[in-house]
Amino acid sequence: MSGSGSGPAGSNGSRSRLRRARLASGLIPFLGLVLLWMLLWGQFTWLAFATGLVLAFIVSVVFYLPAVRLSGRFNGGRALLFLGRLIADVVVASVQIAWSALNPGYRPSNAILTVQLATRSDLLMTFTAVAVGLVPGSIVLDIDRDAGILHLHALNVASAADVPALKRSVSAAERRLILAMGSADDLARLAKSASMSEGRAG
Amino acid sequence: MTGDGVRDVITAVLVLLSAFLCFAAGVGLIRFTDVLSRLHAATKPQILGLMAIVADVAVSNPSVSTITLAFAIVFFQSLTAPMAAHMVGRAAYRTGHFRSDILVADDLGPFIPPHGGKS
């Protein structure tokens, strides 16, 4: 969004809110870089903070990336729920795959499936893709960003009858993520898609 | 048991768990039948094995710097490993380097017909 001054002049309050949102979207990754620098040094001293600030500035100028649009909403409890479930899923997935690798009678039977996501936010789509890549038996093969579709490869799918359950588990992971940090728009989309699938089932 | 004894037991269990998972990941890389299946072995057991070994270092040598570094390692590994798998998987699908005979469903086919593969 360029030319904030030349656009149709909104009310003063909304413009300052927009400016604050844009500032936060730049500031949070910046502070994340400083924090990473202090984590790598393993010390929380003023010296590490100051050198971190300088390096974060250099990195964000030299390796310029378009700003990430944050939703501005964060629910700590839901985020903990999402993280706990993610770790449990990673453990289950690792044990399953370790077992298929060592099982003498292993027979390959995989599937490629597509899942329609509710969100249109780039950040949430990325997080969902990463989370899905860690949970039981799936890897993201392709992402249709405009339509919000994930194409996944799933391991150990016995038959085509198991595919809907897998799709539901991916949608559930996305749902937990949206509830934790989605925008109001994503929440509305989520409610709409939930009521639609209920209507289809009933 | 003393505190050190308990810590030794936890350390031993975590090291063995990590070694087992990394071993299983290695076996999976060889035994699984195509690129897409092998990517599963390369991401999941490997991540849990890494988490276990990093937790092990943090338990055996608990200090602020070790624990913060452990969090950074786990965070970035679990962020980058699925992305690397995604890039390889995407390339493998589009160039037809996978076995379609072991797929029970292929919903991606209508979107991107794979080419160059021996079907």
Side-chain angles (χ1 to χ4, degrees):
Chain A
M1 262 198 241
S2 61
S4 63
S6 61
S11 71
N12 224 355
S14 81
R15 197 191 292 174
S16 82
R17 182 151 19 95
L18 194 73
R19 210 166 63 209
R20 216 178 317 135
R22 203 178 309 157
L23 196 69
S25 293
L27 203 61
I28 289 175
F30 184 82
L31 289 179
L33 278 176
V34 177
L35 184 68
L36 172 66
W37 178 251
M38 289 161 84
L39 284 180
L40 287 180
W41 276 99
Q43 51 186 24
F44 296 90
T45 57
W46 287 109
L47 179 64
F49 183 69
T51 48
L53 275 185
V54 173
L55 278 167
F57 182 74
I58 293 175
V59 165
S60 37
V61 169
V62 175
F63 302 101
Y64 175 76
L65 288 172
V68 178
R69 195 177 300 163
L70 301 173
S71 66
R73 195 184 138 270
F74 188 78
N75 186 329
R78 293 281 189 182
L80 274 183
L81 205 70
F82 168 76
L83 244 125
R85 184 63 197 268
L86 183 67
I87 290 173
D89 280 348
V90 168
V91 173
V92 171
S94 303
V95 172
Q96 274 176 2
I97 292 171
W99 169 243
S100 343
L102 300 176
N103 180 9
Y106 168 71
R107 304 195 67 77
S109 171
N110 307 329
I112 295 178
L113 43 127
T114 62
V115 178
Q116 173 72 55
L117 296 179
T119 181
R120 289 292 180 280
S121 140
D122 286 343
L123 187 65
L124 276 182
M125 224 182 271
T126 312
F127 277 161
T128 311
V130 169
V132 160
L134 291 174
V135 301
S138 50
I139 279 180
V140 177
L141 283 185
D142 218 320
I143 302 176
D144 187 335
R145 181 181 167 223
D146 297 327
I149 297 176
L150 285 186
H151 302 282
L152 308 166
H153 179 262
L155 200 67
N156 293 342
V157 182
S159 71
D162 294 345
V163 169
L166 270 171
K167 287 188 183 181
R168 270 201 301 279
S169 78
V170 172
S171 296
E174 191 213 3
R175 184 167 172 276
R176 283 193 293 276
L177 197 57
I178 290 181
L179 288 176
M181 52 183 294
S183 61
D185 178 46
D186 284 330
L187 282 171
R189 283 176 188 279
L190 185 69
K192 208 166 79 185
S193 73
S195 68
M196 249 169 62
S197 61
E198 253 169 43
R200 214 177 299 148
Chain B
M1 260 202 290
T2 59
D4 273 355
V6 174
R7 191 183 295 167
D8 282 350
V9 171
I10 296 175
T11 316
V13 168
L14 284 175
V15 166
L16 285 176
L17 178 71
S18 168
F20 169 74
L21 285 167
C22 293
F23 170 70
V27 173
L29 272 183
I30 294 170
R31 273 198 74 205
F32 286 162
T33 40
D34 66 346
V35 179
L36 299 181
S37 318
R38 285 184 177 136
L39 285 175
H40 288 277
T43 49
K44 272 147 263 178
Q46 182 258 347
I47 283 283
L48 190 63
L50 183 88
M51 281 181 183
I53 200 83
V54 162
D56 172 72
V57 172
V59 167
S60 71
N61 182 12
S63 69
V64 175
S65 60
T66 339
I67 292 171
T68 52
L69 199 56
F71 271 105
I73 290 172
V74 169
F75 179 72
F76 282 100
Q77 267 289 316
S78 40
L79 214 58
T80 49
M83 282 298 132
H86 161 58
M87 293 319 290
V88 176
R90 184 182 152 98
Y93 188 88
R94 292 188 176 225
T95 52
H97 285 94
F98 67 102
R99 278 178 55 185
S100 45
D101 57 317
I102 53 172
L103 291 175
V104 296
D106 184 358
D107 290 351
L108 185 53
F111 291 91
I112 308 156
H115 54 84
K118 288 160 278 184
S119 56

